[in-house]
């Protein structure tokens, strides 16, 4: 029945002794109860073995005397007792869990004497000495002095003990580190010793409670987070699961060096097994639909220091539903939902106006809301029916007033909208599967309301048939299209750029300065009393999550509903195009076949390979029917290779300088090649001759693209140029007419470009690692990010144009959110990846090593390595169905690849 929740906040449980509790000693009505005597830093607690009897808690500050029987008495053989006794005289006692019922503590006031007979008489002297020491601490006037003395007693006990190595799972374990720490659970901490070996993490509580040793196998660890505990960077939380809300252990250290060393040891061990996720990598997974809204919020809470073990930093979830009166919940109506772009305090305009008037008149530091949206009191307000002992611990043995309890959802929501000081959000439990927190299944006596009604189960809205149905519908609301479209707005307020500064003021999102990380530096406060008072105030008031994003959070990608009969607009012309007998007929270019291809991309097999150039192959273009392949090379030639005859049919040289890329114009009549001689060459396939030259740049042309009659050319002269091309009449020998539409200026040489599907955005990567996103119609730069250290080798938009992927000389892939310009993911590669194709989730890259690599971008890891070239893969082509590819390498070869399901 005993638990650490029977202690006061910030109290420690030191030791226990088997004992008898004797009441009315020597009287005719003397009674004796067997049980366990617990010595705690601010109280003495006796837990009787008989469940009917109450647990007795005697606060040390209420003691009048604590003594053992007089020496002369114990030396008298006639009065001598076989076991040692301690007499405690006090003027106040708490009786807890009488008849084993969880209820508010009963207070017995007035002078009473309690005699405790220890089974082991030899410990009597030590116990009395400890109690005298702790009694002196509890009598100190100032809280800071009390805390300092108790800390000194605790540290002295920890210093006299060490981890019991006999508790190791195996005698062959190697010890890596041992230090002092406290295990943290909601509202309480338990001191002891931490030990890390090459196989396990151990915690041994000083008091042996709740068990002699807690052990976690390092192999099972999945996630590990550094935590801010009591505003100090001293916490560490370890999870053996991927998506669970609750961790396996939360430790608080006495200095950050111990915490960081332990973090390093465990992180080093698990980095071979587990990818460490950042807020950005989770964001990418969420945006692309790989994480639910619930899972994403859980991960953000975790990264923002929110933990189920710390009620002052409990995970915070939004109110989603605003309708608690209808008989049917309609998730298609926007008015069913709360406005996620505003904090709770700003949802009611009248109340907000009153708060803003007060804010304007307030001296610095100003704040709009006098209470927070998440605090220990609010968490237990929601959870009192399943965690009554936590509520009693927080509120000194009392439940809240019956009318202030969590009685009804409609009432609570109304109070959050209208109440003068009620701005609370929800907790994750509202979107999970356990509805017990809504039901008084423990049959607790939570009091009587004004109308005489007892507090029982939580009153649900008419649209819920019961607690489970309520949670089910809440989950559906959280995952609904409306919330998916607007959740990023709430994230901006709670975890993002509207959390602090001028954006917070504009969003009416300003709380008391003490609630923010860095709002107060505890180390700078010298007065221990002031420090204790401030810490207590902050922990009870609630804390704002750590800020995870400093620029607007991108919105979620909402897939359009697919129509079943939809096939590609190309399908007709493809099936009619001439196909050589040994070629398979092309399938319809449905999204399904492309998805299937990318799901199996690791099954690419080398079909054929040919050495057709004298230097590295820089560009590959293929005619629409797939029969002819054009390649450019640093050997200055453009070659036409026949897939059917497996021979080079043409070889053309425009100058003695290297060619850098090539493409085929629609209709398969013209090939365009870019050259290091600053020119772009147009070659007529039908007539086998050079048709035109565009002298468009002052330095080498590095890459060209063609879309809708426009040519885009990137150059080492630090520009990207957009040209409108009016084709010449080939027979009358009239030249193409080129009109320069735009010039996109850069600071350094541009190495690569790509356009999005709608041709409205252009991405450019430079030799110094900068990635820019341009608005093509206005020729203005939208975002510019220093992404790579060294040259950007390749960059490409995802098929839905939401993300931009780049690869660079610095051995990394980077993902940018196109809407916000935020760098949202970075994946390290062993060697540089020179070129790639991707579908938004999976990457097929050509490596410096010559291999083709298949990457799971969200997991940040290589799924398959496919042997290929003997030199770097520098160019890559892929067909529209994504089931065949051609690569060109520094080994002067082209390789044909096919998917084999």
């Amino acid at each position: 029945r005993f638990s650490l929740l029977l202690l006061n906040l910030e109290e420690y449980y030191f030791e226990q002794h088997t004992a008898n509790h004797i009441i009315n000693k020597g009287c005719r009505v003397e009674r004796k109860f067997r049980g366990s005597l617990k010595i705690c830093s601010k109280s003495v607690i006796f837990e009787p073995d008989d469940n009917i009897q109450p647990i007795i808690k005697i606060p040390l500050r209420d003691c009048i005397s604590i003594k053992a029987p007089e020496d002369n008495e114990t030396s008298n053989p006639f009065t001598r007792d076989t076991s040692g006794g301690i007499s405690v005289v006090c003027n106040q006692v708490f009786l807890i869990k009488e008849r084993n019922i969880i209820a508010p503590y009963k207070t017995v006031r007035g002078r009473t004497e309690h005699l405790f007979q220890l089974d082991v008489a030899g410990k009597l002297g030590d116990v009395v000495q400890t109690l005298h020491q702790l009694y002196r601490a509890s009598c100190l006037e100032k809280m800071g002095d009390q805390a300092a003395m108790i800390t000194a007693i605790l540290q002295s006990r920890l210093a006299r003990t060490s981890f019991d190595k006999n508790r190791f799972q195996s005698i062959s374990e190697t010890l890596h580190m041992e230090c002092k720490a406290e295990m943290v659970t909601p509202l309480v901490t338990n001191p002891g010793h931490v030990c890390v070996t090459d196989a396990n993490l151990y915690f041994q509580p000083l008091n042996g409670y709740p068990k002699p040793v807690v052990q976690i196998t390092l192999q099972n660890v999945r996630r590990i987070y550094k935590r801010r505990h009591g505003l100090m960077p001293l916490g560490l939380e370890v999870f053996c699961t991927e998506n669970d809300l609750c961790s396996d252990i939360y430790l608080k250290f006495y200095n950050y060096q111990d915490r960081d060393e332990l973090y390093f040891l465990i992180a080093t061990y698990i980095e071979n097994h587990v990818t460490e996720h950042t807020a950005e990598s989770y964001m990418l997974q969420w945006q692309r639909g790989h994480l639910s809204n619930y899972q994403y919020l859980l991960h953000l809470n975790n990264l923002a220091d929110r933990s189920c073990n710390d009620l002052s930093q409990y995970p915070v979830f939004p109110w989603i539903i605003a309708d608690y009166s209808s008989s049917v919940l309609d998730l298609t109506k926007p008015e069913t939902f709360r406005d996620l772009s505003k904090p709770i305090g700003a949802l009611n305009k009248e109340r907000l106006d009153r708060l803003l008037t007060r804010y304007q008149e307030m001296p610095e530091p100003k704040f709009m809301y006098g209470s927070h949206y998440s605090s220990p009191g609010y968490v237990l307000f929601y959870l009192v029916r399943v965690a009554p002992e936590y509520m009693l611990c927080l509120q000194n043995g009392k439940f809240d007033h019956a009318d202030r309890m969590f009685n009804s959802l409609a009432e609570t929501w109304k109070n959050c909208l209208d109440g003068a000081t009620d701005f609370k959000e929800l907790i994750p439990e509202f979107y999970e599967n356990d509805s017990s927190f809504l039901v008084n299944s423990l049959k607790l006596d939570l009091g009587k309301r004004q109308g005489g009604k007892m507090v029982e189960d939580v009153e649900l809205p008419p649209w819920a048939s019961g607690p489970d149905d309520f949670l089910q519908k809440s989950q559906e609301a959280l995952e609904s299209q409306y919330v998916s479209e607007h959740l990023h707005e709430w994230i901006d307020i709670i975890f993002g750029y509207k959390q602090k500064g001028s954006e917070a003021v504009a969003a009416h999102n300003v709380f008391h300065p003490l609630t923010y990380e860095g709002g107060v530096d505890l180390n700078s406060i010298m007065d221990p009393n002031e420090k204790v008072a401030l810490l207590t105030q902050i922990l009870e008031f609630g804390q704002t999550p750590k800020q995870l994003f400093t620029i607007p959070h991108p919105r979620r990608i909402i897939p359009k509903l697919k129509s079943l009969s939809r096939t590609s607009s190309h399908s007709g012309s493809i099936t009619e195009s001439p196909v050589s007998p040994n070629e398979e007929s092309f399938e319809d270019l449905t999204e399904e076949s492309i998805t299937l291809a990318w799901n199996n991309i690791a099954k690419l097999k080398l079909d054929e390979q040919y050495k057709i150039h004298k230097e590295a192959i820089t560009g590959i273009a293929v005619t629409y029917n797939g029969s002819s392949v054009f390649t450019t090379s640093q050997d200055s030639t453009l070659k036409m290779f026949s897939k059917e005859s497996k021979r080079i049919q043409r070889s053309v040289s425009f100058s003695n300088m290297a060619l850098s890329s090539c493409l085929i114009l629609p209709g398969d009549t013209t090939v365009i090649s870019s050259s290091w001689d600053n020119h772009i060459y147009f070659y007529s396939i039908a007539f086998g001759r050079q048709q035109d030259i565009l002298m468009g740049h002052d330095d080498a042309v590095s890459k060209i693209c063609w879309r809708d009659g426009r040519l885009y050319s990137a150059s080492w002269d630090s520009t990207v140029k957009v040209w409108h091309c009016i084709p010449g009449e080939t027979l009358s020998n009239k030249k193409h007419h080129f009109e320069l539409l735009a010039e996109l200026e850069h600071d350094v040489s541009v190495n690569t470009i790509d356009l999005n599907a709608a041709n409205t955005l252009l991405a450019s990567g430079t030799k110094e690692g900068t990635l820019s996103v341009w608005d093509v119609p206005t020729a203005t730069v939208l975002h510019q990010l220093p992404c790579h250290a060294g040259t950007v080798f390749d960059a490409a938009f995802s098929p839905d144009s939401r993300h931009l992927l780049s690869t660079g000389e610095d051995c990394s892939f980077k993902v940018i959110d196109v809407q916000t310009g935020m760098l949202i993911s970075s994946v390290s590669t062993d060697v540089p990846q020179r070129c790639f194709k991707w579908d938004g989730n999976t990457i097929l890259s050509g490596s410096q090593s010559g291999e083709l690599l298949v990457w799971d971008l969200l997991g940040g890891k290589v799924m398959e390595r496919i042997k290929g070239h003997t030199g770097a893969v520098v160019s890559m082509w892929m067909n529209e169905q994504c089931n065949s590819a051609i690569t060109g390498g520094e080994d002067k070869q082209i390789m044909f690849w096919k998917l084999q399901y």
Side-chain angles (χ1 to χ4, degrees):
R1 290 191 298 160
F2 170 79
S3 92
L4 295 177
L5 294 167
L6 301 185
L7 279 57
N8 294 1
L9 295 175
E10 306 293 316
E11 184 176 8
Y12 296 110
Y13 162 38
F14 285 140
E15 59 192 57
Q16 70 155 351
H17 302 276
T18 310
N20 288 321
H21 178 211
I22 300 171
I23 302 173
N24 305 323
K25 168 96 172 139
C27 300
R28 197 163 49 83
V29 287
E30 176 180 313
R31 297 171 72 196
K32 187 187 280 192
F33 299 105
R34 187 140 185 77
S36 165
L37 182 69
K38 324 272 185 188
I39 310 298
C40 307
S41 58
K42 295 179 184 178
S43 59
V44 179
I45 295 175
F46 182 77
E47 179 189 19
D49 292 345
D50 181 355
N51 278 357
I52 300 298
Q53 296 303 317
I55 293 172
I56 293 167
K57 177 176 175 178
I58 306 170
L60 288 169
R61 66 166 189 272
D62 292 326
C63 290
I64 298 163
S65 73
I66 300 169
K67 58 183 182 182
E70 297 300 326
D71 287 340
N72 59 4
E73 211 177 297
T74 52
S75 60
N76 181 334
F78 297 104
T79 58
R80 190 166 183 180
D81 217 319
T82 50
S83 61
I86 302 168
S87 159
V88 179
V89 180
C90 59
N91 52 30
Q92 181 166 259
V93 172
F94 295 110
L95 304 182
I96 303 169
K97 287 192 183 174
E98 195 167 3
R99 302 192 176 280
N100 210 18
I101 293 167
I102 299 168
Y105 304 169
K106 283 185 185 162
T107 309
V108 178
R109 293 190 175 84
R111 185 186 171 105
T112 52
E113 182 180 2
H114 301 265
L115 189 66
F116 300 103
Q117 270 184 347
L118 304 189
D119 276 16
V120 183
K123 291 193 174 171
L124 185 68
D126 288 345
V127 172
V128 172
Q129 191 184 350
T130 300
L131 286 172
H132 281 163
Q133 233 183 347
L134 293 168
Y135 171 69
R136 282 198 302 278
S138 71
C139 290
L140 292 170
E141 211 175 301
K142 295 183 171 173
M143 294 298 290
D145 296 338
Q146 279 187 32
M149 188 167 170
I150 288 168
T151 300
I153 295 168
L154 170 64
Q155 290 302 329
S156 144
R157 282 173 164 259
L158 285 168
R160 292 198 305 270
T161 54
S162 63
F163 187 87
D164 177 6
K165 309 294 188 293
N166 293 323
R167 295 282 178 188
F168 282 178
Q169 288 282 300
S170 151
I171 51 168
S172 60
E173 280 184 65
T174 310
L175 175 67
H176 283 324
M177 178 191 177
E178 182 182 348
C179 67
K180 299 175 288 189
E182 294 176 12
M183 186 165 136
V184 179
T185 49
L187 300 181
V188 287
T189 62
N190 202 11
H193 295 276
V194 168
C195 212
V196 187
T197 68
D198 51 355
N200 294 293
L201 165 68
Y202 297 99
F203 175 75
Q204 187 168 30
L206 193 59
N207 49 31
Y209 178 87
K211 53 186 182 180
V213 72
V214 177
Q215 177 239 333
I216 285 172
T217 308
L218 293 181
Q219 216 171 339
N220 295 340
V221 174
R222 286 288 159 273
R223 295 177 288 147
I224 175 168
Y225 298 98
K226 290 181 180 178
R227 293 278 185 239
R228 179 178 53 143
H229 187 270
L231 298 194
M232 304 289 278
L234 299 172
L236 188 74
E237 194 162 21
V238 179
F239 291 78
C240 293
T241 53
E242 241 358 296
N243 289 314
D244 271 17
L245 184 60
C246 296
S247 64
D248 291 77
I249 194 167
Y250 186 141
L251 296 167
K252 174 200 165 189
F253 296 80
Y254 295 112
N255 61 65
Y256 70 86
Q257 292 92 339
D258 284 348
R259 192 275 304 264
D260 289 352
E261 189 183 341
L262 191 83
Y263 178 87
F264 174 77
L265 284 169
I266 299 178
T268 308
Y269 182 91
I270 67 171
E271 73 182 348
N272 308 320
H273 315 272
V274 184
T275 315
E276 187 176 352
H277 287 294
T278 59
E280 287 77 18
S281 70
Y282 284 128
M283 180 210 289
L284 184 63
Q285 292 186 53
W286 171 73
Q287 265 198 296
R288 296 211 155 275
H290 293 256
L291 286 178
S292 66
N293 292 337
Y294 169 80
Q295 287 170 320
Y296 185 43
L297 289 176
L298 213 54
H299 288 308
L300 291 184
N301 271 289
N302 241 322
L303 291 168
D305 272 343
R306 313 302 284 188
S307 163
C308 289
N309 284 309
D310 184 351
L311 295 189
S312 67
Q313 299 189 89
Y314 201 79
V316 55
F317 269 59
W319 282 96
I320 293 291
I321 298 167
D323 174 2
Y324 294 94
S325 56
S326 303
S327 55
V328 176
L329 186 68
D330 187 348
L331 296 180
T332 61
K333 281 169 32 186
E335 52 270 31
T336 298
F337 299 93
R338 163 257 180 107
D339 182 348
L340 287 162
S341 68
K342 295 175 182 172
I344 291 290
L347 291 175
N348 176 340
K349 190 174 181 316
E350 278 176 42
R351 177 177 65 175
L352 180 65
D353 290 343
R354 289 197 301 274
L355 292 166
L356 289 178
T357 306
R358 191 191 68 172
Y359 173 74
Q360 254 93 54
E361 295 162 358
M362 196 183 279
E364 291 293 343
K366 295 172 172 237
F367 52 89
M368 293 173 189
Y369 309 113
S371 67
H372 205 258
Y373 51 76
S374 172
S375 71
Y378 289 159
V379 174
L380 296 177
F381 167 84
Y382 291 127
L383 296 181
V384 64
R385 288 168 177 80
V386 285
E389 291 182 82
Y390 292 87
M391 174 74 94
L392 294 171
C393 176
L394 187 70
Q395 304 207 141
N396 301 316
K398 299 183 188 74
F399 288 133
D400 206 346
H401 188 281
D403 285 302
R404 286 198 298 269
M405 283 280 188
F406 180 30
N407 290 307
S408 138
L409 271 144
E411 246 176 62
T412 304
W413 170 242
K414 185 178 185 307
N415 210 42
C416 288
L417 287 183
D418 305 338
T421 58
D422 194 348
F423 314 109
K424 59 180 170 284
E425 291 280 8
L426 294 182
I427 54 174
E429 282 77 358
F430 279 83
Y431 303 103
E432 289 173 356
N433 298 318
D434 183 359
S435 62
S436 56
F437 75 101
L438 299 167
V439 182
N440 186 11
S441 52
L442 295 174
K443 299 286 176 258
L444 301 165
D445 181 356
L446 297 171
K448 197 176 277 189
R449 302 189 64 183
Q450 272 179 346
K453 196 176 168 198
M454 295 299 291
V455 175
E456 286 296 341
D457 299 348
V458 178
E459 201 178 297
L460 300 172
W463 46 257
S465 62
D468 290 342
D469 185 53
F470 170 76
L471 290 193
Q472 173 70 37
K473 290 193 166 87
S474 297
Q475 288 171 20
E476 287 167 14
L478 179 62
E479 302 304 334
S480 67
Q481 175 144 350
Y482 178 89
V483 174
S484 292
E485 286 171 358
H486 295 278
L487 189 59
H488 64 283
E489 298 171 336
W490 186 81
I491 292 168
D492 282 336
I493 290 168
I494 305 295
F495 303 105
Y497 81 112
K498 291 182 179 178
Q499 192 197 83
K500 293 179 185 171
S502 58
E503 293 286 358
V505 177
H508 306 128
N509 192 36
V510 183
F511 294 86
H512 195 286
L514 287 182
T515 66
Y516 294 94
E517 185 176 28
V520 61
D521 179 8
L522 282 183
N523 292 325
S524 67
I525 299 170
M526 290 303 141
D527 180 349
N529 302 303
E530 190 188 333
K531 191 181 277 192
V532 167
L534 197 62
L535 190 57
T536 306
Q537 182 188 345
I538 289 163
L539 297 185
E540 288 183 6
F541 191 84
Q543 289 172 264
T544 302
K546 181 195 280 185
Q547 190 174 22
L548 299 178
F549 308 106
T550 52
I551 60 174
H553 189 290
R555 59 174 55 218
R556 192 168 198 183
I557 299 163
I558 310 294
K560 301 281 180 285
L561 291 170
K562 291 184 180 178
S563 82
L564 295 173
S565 61
R566 188 186 61 192
T567 54
S568 167
S569 55
H570 296 307
S571 55
S573 58
I574 290 169
T575 44
E576 288 155 24
S577 62
V579 174
S580 50
N582 62 346
E583 289 279 332
E584 314 83 43
S585 64
F586 283 77
E587 305 163 30
D588 289 345
L589 289 182
T590 57
E591 263 180 46
E592 285 72 14
S593 67
I594 291 173
T595 305
L596 180 68
W598 275 104
N599 287 344
N600 291 280
I601 205 77
K603 297 176 183 166
L604 267 184
K605 296 282 184 288
L606 182 60
D607 193 29
E608 301 167 273
Q609 65 191 89
Y610 305 98
K611 190 168 179 179
I612 58 171
H613 281 278
K614 293 178 181 155
E615 294 291 340
I617 291 162
T618 55
I620 303 168
V622 181
T623 52
Y624 199 53
N625 62 11
S627 60
S628 300
V629 178
F630 288 85
T631 53
T632 50
S633 166
Q634 286 182 4
D635 67 8
S636 82
T637 63
L638 166 72
K639 294 192 191 283
M640 175 178 169
F641 180 84
S642 165
K643 189 105 188 302
E644 205 175 330
S645 66
K646 303 185 184 353
R647 291 226 284 278
I648 296 170
Q649 292 187 321
R650 295 185 199 172
S651 182
V652 191
S653 199
F654 303 112
S655 74
N656 58 359
M657 297 282 276
L659 297 177
S660 57
S661 69
C662 62
L663 56 86
I664 300 178
L665 293 191
D668 288 352
T669 57
T670 306
V671 180
I672 313 179
S673 305
S674 55
S675 170
W676 284 9
D677 68 2
N678 315 353
H679 301 345
I680 297 166
Y681 295 94
F682 287 69
Y683 175 80
S684 164
I685 300 172
F687 292 88
R689 63 170 182 237
Q690 180 183 312
Q691 199 178 338
D692 229 323
I693 304 179
L694 170 56
M695 300 180 195
H697 288 276
D698 302 324
D699 203 339
V701 182
S702 51
K703 178 93 185 268
I704 49 173
C705 295
W706 178 279
R707 297 283 179 87
D708 286 349
R710 291 185 179 182
L711 176 69
Y712 301 81
S713 58
S715 167
W716 295 354
D717 67 5
S718 308
T719 66
V720 173
K721 293 183 177 178
V722 185
W723 310 88
H724 181 50
C725 295
I726 300 152
E729 291 166 27
T730 316
L731 291 174
S732 62
N733 236 355
K734 276 191 182 159
K735 302 283 187 192
H736 280 68
H737 175 64
F738 302 107
E739 180 192 345
L740 181 62
L741 298 178
E743 189 169 325
L744 313 180
E745 300 257 357
H746 297 67
D747 297 331
V748 292
S749 301
V750 183
N751 197 57
T752 186
I753 52 172
D754 186 53
L755 280 111
N756 70 342
N759 308 327
T760 52
L761 299 175
L762 179 139
S764 59
T766 70
K767 282 198 168 181
E768 289 188 2
T770 303
L771 209 58
S772 304
V773 178
W774 300 80
D775 179 59
V776 175
T778 59
T780 52
V781 69
L782 300 175
H783 310 296
Q784 203 159 40
L785 287 94
C787 274
H788 296 276
T791 302
V792 180
F793 285 132
D794 200 0
F797 288 96
S798 56
D800 61 13
S801 304
R802 296 299 182 103
H803 294 121
L804 175 64
L805 178 68
S806 62
T807 177
E809 202 176 349
D810 59 354
C811 303
S812 72
F813 283 116
K814 306 279 180 173
V815 182
I816 287 171
D817 180 77
V818 173
Q819 180 200 353
T820 60
M822 184 190 283
L823 178 66
I824 56 174
S825 186
S826 182
V827 177
S828 296
T829 62
D830 296 342
V831 295
Q833 303 301 299
R834 298 292 296 273
C835 54
F836 67 83
K837 299 291 176 191
W838 76 311
D839 72 337
N841 301 310
T842 309
I843 309 168
L844 175 69
S845 68
S847 176
Q848 183 85 35
S849 65
E851 297 168 298
L852 294 192
L853 269 54
V854 178
W855 298 80
D856 166 20
L857 180 60
L858 303 176
K861 55 182 184 284
V862 178
M863 295 192 293
E864 193 70 47
R865 290 175 181 272
I866 306 167
K867 288 261 182 291
H869 295 264
T870 53
V873 185
V874 285
S875 52
M876 183 183 290
W877 171 89
M878 187 179 258
N879 68 342
E880 279 187 84
Q881 297 95 316
C882 308
N883 58 16
S884 74
I886 305 171
T887 55
E890 282 183 351
D891 59 0
K892 307 155 196 173
Q893 297 200 85
I894 56 167
M895 294 189 171
F896 292 83
W897 304 85
K898 260 197 189 147
L899 258 193
Q900 294 181 358
Y901 296 114

